[in-house]
Amino acid sequence: MAPPGRRERPFSSGRFSGLLLATLVLQLSSFSDACEAPPTFEAMELIGKPKPYYEVGERVDYKCKKGYFYIPPLATHSICDRNHTWLPVSDEGCYREMCPHIQDPLNGEAIFANGSYEFGSELHFICNEGYYLIGKDILYCELKDTVAIWSDKPPLCEKVLCTPPPKIKNGKHTFSEVEVFEYLDAVTYSCDPAPGPDPFSLIGESMIYCGNNSTWSHAAPECKVVKCRFPVVENGKQISGFGKKFYYKATVMFECDKGYYLNGSDKIVCESNSTWDPPVPKCLKVLPPSSTKSPTLSHSVSTSPTTKSPTSSASGPRPTYKPPVSNYPGYPKPDEGILNSLDDWVIALIVIVIVVAVAVICVALYRFLQGRKKKGKADGGPEYATYQMKSTAPAEQRG
C-alpha cells in the first residue's frame, strides 16, 4: 500500500519508453523485409498511388507520361526483389509524340533546328533567291492534350514581282511598256534633250533593278540642269578639269602661285545644287616670321619652288608653296656671303681694326728682333778678343 500523502501513478515513464522502443524494433524488422519507393523516370510514371514501402515480390507498373507513346518490347514494370531492391526497369520504351511530317515548300526549304519532329522542336523555312516567304518562317511542334501539332500552317514561297518603276520629269526609262517585272529585272533611265543651251543632268542611279520584298533597288533619279559658276582663285591657277562650262560632277583642281598657300581643298566637284563642294579655295600670302623668333619649318613647308605640298585631310591652311628661308629678312641669299649682308660702315670698321692689329704685331716683332741683335753683339766682344790673342801668339813664336 502506498504511503499516505502520495498518489500512485497508473503508468510509469520507464514502462512507456520500453513500449515505444519495442514498437520501433518491430517496425524496423518489418521494413528490413521490404523495398523502398520505386524509381522515378522522365518519360514514364507510376500507375496508382505510391506506398512508403513494398513487400518482397510485390510488383509495380508504369505508363508513359503525357506526350510520350510506348513501343514494345521493353518492360514497363518492376518487382521488389529478395535483396530489398527493385528489378531493373527503364523508360527507353517511351518516345516523344511527333508532329506530322512537313515537306519542303515549292521554291524553298524546311530545316529542322533540332533534327526531329518531336514536340519541343522547331522547323525553319527559307525561300530560294528570287522568291519571298508568305507566312511564318518558324513553326514550333507543340503538345495539345496528348497530340503533338505544329503551331501554324506551313508558309509558301512566292516569286518576287515588282510594279513598274516611277516615271520622271524630263526623262524616261527602258521597258516602259512592261507592267510586271520579275526578280532582278532592270531598267535604265535617261534624260530628254533640254530646250535651252544647257543639257539636263541625271541625278541619282541611272540603272535600278527589282529586288527583294518586291521593291526597286534605288529611288528613281532626277533630270535637271546643273551648272556651277566658273571657279576663280586669285593668286592661283587651275591645273585640271579645264572647261568653259561646268556641269554635274565636273571636277577641278588648283594650285597657288609662288609665295602663296592654299586655304581649303585643292579639289572641288560640281554638285546637284549647282554649287562647288567643297567651296572654292583661296590662296593666301605667306607671311614672314616675326623678327624675335627664328622661323621654323613645318611638314607643309616646301624648300623647292617647284614642289607642292600634298593635300592633307587636316583642317587649317595648307600651303602649296612657301619660299626658302633664305628669302626671309635677316637670312643671306645663297649667292651672297655674310659680308655682303652687312652695312658699309660695319665693313670699313672691321677693315680698320684688322689693319691696326697687323701694324701693331709688325712693330712688336721688329722691336723684339732688334733687341736680340744688340744683345748678341755685346756678349760676343770679349770672346772674340781672346780668340785673336791666342791665334797670333804661335805665329810670333815661329818667327
Side-chain angles (χ1 to χ4, degrees), residues 71 137 173 284 299 341 381 384:
I71 297 180
D137 59 342
H173 65 77
L284 304 179
H299 69 279
S341 62
Y384 179 76

Side-chain angles (χ1 to χ4, degrees), residues 273-285:
N273 56 356
S274 297
T275 59
W276 293 103
D277 184 42
V280 178
K282 296 180 180 180
C283 287
L284 304 179
K285 188 173 182 62

Side-chain angles (χ1 to χ4, degrees), residues 233-254:
V233 177
E234 296 185 4
N235 304 312
K237 59 185 176 181
Q238 184 178 339
I239 60 174
S240 69
F242 300 98
K244 295 182 179 180
K245 296 181 180 181
F246 299 90
Y247 299 118
Y248 181 58
K249 290 301 179 183
T251 303
V252 179
M253 295 189 69
F254 302 93

